[in-house]
């Protein structure tokens, strides 16, 4: 197997191993504490290091929370599990919350913003001559079923005056996306910006390098990942929600100031994940959390205008009622004071 293929597969395998190991990695906490299950939206790559290191550091324990964190299987699946009571809190794309609440009345609300702007990007090879999103005309773009890059692509294309039907979408396995790009079987791979480091490392092993073309550079600035909970949890466990959010913000702030240690603790939960891969993902993730937006509005809080644009974009892509008020899918009243 070629070196770059091994690098990407090693990264994915390390994350997969976590699923079997998570139960025995849980910290021991006092039985008097409130048990809480926090579910991610996918495999625990380095972008989740703030949560796993906060678990190990005991930031939730200090708030009276006996937390367990588990992997997810996509934002929509995590939203469904929260709605059905299979977990107490979840993290995932707010578009999934808005869609589920608007379309089906799902009893789930976002209780904290995380990514104040979308990490949606296309990865291309530097050697391809593709320098901007406009250069994708006539190219082969990788995609997976339900991938939000494709859902939002028409809006991005419209913003840059791009003929969206001029590209060819190629269905591929998500775990093979980076490898296929490096092998030049596709011209562009739709990936989150925080997945750049380890994909570029694999590309460099093949004598290539990767350029990132972010959607946000077109003015496509929508909220992305958020933390959410069910209506029943919000209504009946207010003090637990408040304590959970305090622990969350402690974890995020500590990871921002201690990125290498955060990744070392994360790797205790995800054996085999390379430290540099973790740090590469974590550093980009934190840029989406701590920035001029969170400085302006407050950590975890939504800006009404940006939320309205986010819903407008999601509603257009998912054929939702454009008049529906997205504030119905929010409850940020339990966030710690600014």
């Amino acid at each position: 197997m070629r070196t770059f293929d091994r690098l990407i597969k090693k990264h994915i395998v390390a994350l997969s191993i976590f699923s079997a190991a998570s139960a025995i990695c849980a910290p021991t906490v006092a039985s008097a504490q409130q048990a809480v299950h926090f579910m991610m939206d996918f495999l625990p790559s380095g972008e989740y290091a703030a949560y796993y290191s906060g678990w190990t550091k005991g930031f939730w324990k200090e708030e009276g929370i006996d937390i367990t964190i588990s992997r997810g299987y996509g934002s929509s699946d995590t939203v469904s599990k929260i709605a059905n009571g299979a977990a107490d809190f979840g993290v995932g794309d707010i578009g999934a919350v808005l869609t589920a609440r608007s379309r089906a009345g799902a009893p789930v609300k976002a209780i904290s913003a995380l990514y104040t702007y979308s990490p949606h990007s296309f990865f291309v090879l530097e050697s391809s001559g593709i320098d901007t999103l406009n250069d994708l005309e006539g190219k082969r773009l990788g995609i997976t079923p339900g991938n939000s890059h494709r859902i939002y692509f028409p809006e991005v294309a419209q913003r840059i005056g791009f003929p969206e039907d001029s590209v060819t979408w190629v269905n591929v396995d998500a775990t093979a996306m980076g490898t296929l790009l490096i092998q030049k079987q596709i011209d562009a791979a739709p990936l989150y910006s925080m997945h750049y480091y380890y994909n570029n490392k694999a590309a460099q092993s093949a004598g290539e390098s990767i350029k990132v073309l972010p959607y946000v550079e077109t003015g496509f600035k929508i909220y992305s990942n958020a933390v959410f909970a069910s209506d029943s949890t919000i209504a009946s466990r207010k003090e637990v929600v408040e304590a959970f959010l305090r622990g969350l913000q402690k974890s995020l702030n500590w990871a921002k100031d201690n990125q290498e240690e955060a990744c070392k603790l994360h790797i205790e939960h995800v054996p085999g994940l390379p430290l540099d891969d973790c740090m590469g993902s974590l550093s980009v993730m934190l840029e989406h959390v701590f920035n001029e937006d969170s400085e302006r509005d407050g950590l975890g809080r939504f800006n009404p205008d940006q939320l309205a644009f986010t819903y407008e974009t999601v509603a257009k892509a998912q054929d939702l009622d454009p008049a529906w008020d997205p504030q119905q899918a929010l409850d940020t009243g339990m966030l710690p004071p600014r």
Side-chain angles (χ1 to χ4, degrees):
M1 184 181 295
R2 296 173 66 182
T3 302
F4 59 80
D5 204 30
R6 288 202 303 271
L7 284 168
I8 291 180
K9 289 185 182 298
K10 179 180 178 182
H11 187 94
I12 298 296
V13 168
L15 299 180
S16 300
I17 290 172
F18 169 79
S19 298
S22 59
I24 61 174
C25 292
T28 302
V29 290
S31 59
Q33 296 199 324
Q34 290 287 325
V36 161
H37 179 189
F38 185 23
M39 179 172 284
M40 304 294 98
D41 57 340
F42 201 57
L43 290 166
S45 65
E47 67 190 275
Y48 303 95
Y51 317 129
Y52 285 93
S53 61
W55 180 13
T56 304
K57 289 288 290 183
F59 294 134
W60 276 287
K61 183 178 180 181
E62 293 171 1
E63 299 295 338
I65 299 289
D66 174 6
I67 200 161
T68 298
I69 304 178
S70 66
R71 65 154 293 182
Y73 297 86
S75 295
S76 295
D77 184 72
T78 299
V79 169
S80 177
K81 286 185 168 67
I82 298 300
N84 293 326
D88 302 291
F89 301 96
V91 59
D93 197 309
I94 193 173
V97 177
L98 294 170
T99 300
R101 185 105 193 175
S102 174
R103 176 174 289 154
V108 179
K109 289 183 177 180
I111 57 174
S112 175
L114 281 174
Y115 299 174
T116 69
Y117 61 97
S118 161
H120 291 82
S121 305
F122 275 105
F123 288 12
V124 298
L125 296 180
E126 293 274 5
S127 63
S128 68
I130 300 172
D131 296 317
T132 69
L133 289 166
N134 286 96
D135 295 330
L136 294 176
E137 186 172 352
K139 304 299 184 183
R140 299 162 299 164
L141 280 52
I143 202 64
T144 53
N147 189 303
S148 55
H149 284 77
R150 185 168 186 177
I151 291 171
Y152 295 142
F153 188 74
E155 173 71 23
V156 172
Q158 181 179 342
R159 287 176 167 273
I160 60 177
F162 181 89
E164 62 173 283
D165 59 355
S166 72
V167 302
T168 299
W169 296 96
V170 181
N171 287 314
V172 303
D173 184 274
T175 62
M177 190 75 74
T179 299
L180 293 175
L181 174 66
I182 296 166
Q183 292 176 340
K184 302 183 180 179
Q185 295 185 41
I186 55 176
D187 299 305
L191 295 164
Y192 274 8
S193 54
M194 54 275 298
H195 299 155
Y196 164 76
Y197 180 86
Y198 69 86
N199 278 285
N200 189 55
K201 185 169 73 171
Q204 289 176 335
S205 75
E208 298 282 354
S209 59
I210 287 175
K211 176 191 287 288
V212 181
L213 307 177
Y215 277 17
V216 72
E217 288 186 356
T218 70
F220 181 79
K221 192 173 183 181
I222 64 170
Y223 284 108
S224 181
N225 275 20
V227 176
F228 38 87
S230 69
D231 289 2
S232 61
T233 295
I234 293 169
S236 65
R237 303 180 74 190
K238 180 182 177 182
E239 292 183 356
V240 173
V241 177
E242 291 174 336
F244 170 80
L245 290 171
R246 288 194 299 269
L248 174 70
Q249 292 201 356
K250 283 184 181 180
S251 299
L252 290 167
N253 278 294
W254 182 84
K256 174 170 64 74
D257 296 330
N258 302 273
Q259 295 184 33
E260 183 171 353
E261 186 178 353
C263 277
K264 287 179 178 177
L265 295 177
H266 181 64
I267 291 168
E268 290 182 12
H269 294 272
V270 192
L273 180 65
L275 179 63
D276 61 328
D277 286 8
C278 178
M279 292 181 66
S281 295
L282 176 61
S283 65
V284 178
M285 174 269 189
L286 291 168
E287 291 172 3
H288 284 74
V289 175
F290 296 98
N291 48 51
E292 60 182 13
D293 299 315
S294 55
E295 283 282 334
R296 178 194 65 216
D297 301 317
L299 186 61
R301 288 164 174 80
F302 293 89
N303 178 278
D305 292 338
Q306 191 170 337
L307 176 67
F309 174 64
T310 300
Y311 178 70
E312 178 187 337
T313 303
V314 173
K316 190 185 301 182
Q318 301 284 8
D319 195 26
L320 305 176
D321 179 3
W324 189 78
D325 183 2
Q327 293 287 345
Q328 296 177 68
L330 263 61
D331 190 340
T332 56
M334 288 164 283
L335 283 166
R338 294 186 60 174

